[in-house]
Amino acid sequence: MMSRDSMNSDAGTVMIVDDEAMVVGAIQGFLELETDHLVIPFTSPQAALERLAEESVHTIVADLMMPGLDGVEFLTRARELRPEATRILLTGYADKENAIRAINEAGLYQYLEKPWDNDALAFAIRNGVERSQLFRALTERMGELEAAHEELAGLRERWIHAFL
């Protein structure tokens, strides 16, 4: 499958990762009906990581309890691959220890409990997409400023040599 840069999508790209196909389908269906986001669904965290290695997304929503690779581990690896992507953890097993672990290890943006409230989920995803877009724009601006700084430093150096 050919990869494309989803970060160019103004509406935002959202990856949903949950080992329960019914949960993935419910969130995907809701987002496709109620938002303009491009939704990339996965029931395998390993397959989702492979996709992230090829393609950028704005926001990742992952379940905490998944076989083989839990949500915190998945989001930690996702952070290494795509640090600009906003990470949201969805769980039916809310506890303080996992919340703290997720925040510290995965750089978690939001922690939502199952059953989720569609409005709260949509709000978190929309804010996550905006955060990711702003992060990318800032990174591009910083690159432009660094290039301009290097150009000015070179110009300054040439002027000094011309007048000395």
Side-chain angles (χ1 to χ4, degrees):
M1 180 159 139
M2 188 182 294
S3 176
R4 63 177 177 67
D5 186 3
S6 296
M7 293 297 288
N8 291 330
S9 171
D10 287 341
T13 304
V14 180
M15 177 178 279
I16 308 296
V17 185
D18 193 308
D19 60 311
E20 295 181 42
M22 189 168 67
V23 170
V24 172
I27 295 172
Q28 180 180 10
F30 166 71
L31 291 175
E32 288 176 349
L33 283 172
E34 300 294 328
T35 73
D36 293 329
H37 301 308
L38 172 64
V39 180
I40 304 173
F42 284 94
T43 54
S44 163
Q46 290 83 2
L49 287 173
E50 290 173 15
R51 181 74 172 265
L52 280 174
E54 301 171 1
E55 185 173 0
S56 295
V57 300
H58 292 95
T59 301
I60 303 167
V61 178
D63 185 31
L64 174 62
M65 302 299 284
M66 296 185 287
L69 191 64
D70 76 24
V72 176
E73 293 167 353
F74 167 76
L75 290 173
T76 300
R77 291 186 190 176
R79 180 185 195 187
E80 293 168 4
L81 291 170
R82 301 292 176 184
E84 74 284 357
T86 301
R87 293 164 298 281
I88 298 172
L89 189 65
L90 186 64
T91 180
Y93 306 96
D95 66 72
K96 192 178 194 179
E97 182 179 316
N98 276 321
I100 292 169
R101 182 173 153 242
I103 290 166
N104 291 336
E105 294 178 19
L108 197 65
Y109 174 73
Q110 186 100 23
Y111 189 92
L112 297 172
E113 293 183 33
K114 290 179 182 178
W116 63 90
D117 172 84
N118 280 342
D119 290 336
L121 180 61
F123 183 75
I125 289 171
R126 183 179 69 238
N127 287 343
V129 166
E130 289 175 5
R131 177 197 165 277
S132 182
Q133 290 169 332
L134 288 171
F135 182 86
R136 183 169 188 225
L138 180 60
T139 301
E140 288 173 3
R141 240 359 133 218
M142 288 173 58
E144 292 169 5
L145 288 172
E146 288 171 0
H149 181 267
E150 289 175 14
E151 185 179 330
L152 286 173
L155 183 58
R156 179 179 181 266
E157 198 63 32
R158 287 193 300 273
W159 282 357
I160 289 171
H161 289 299
F163 289 109
L164 295 181

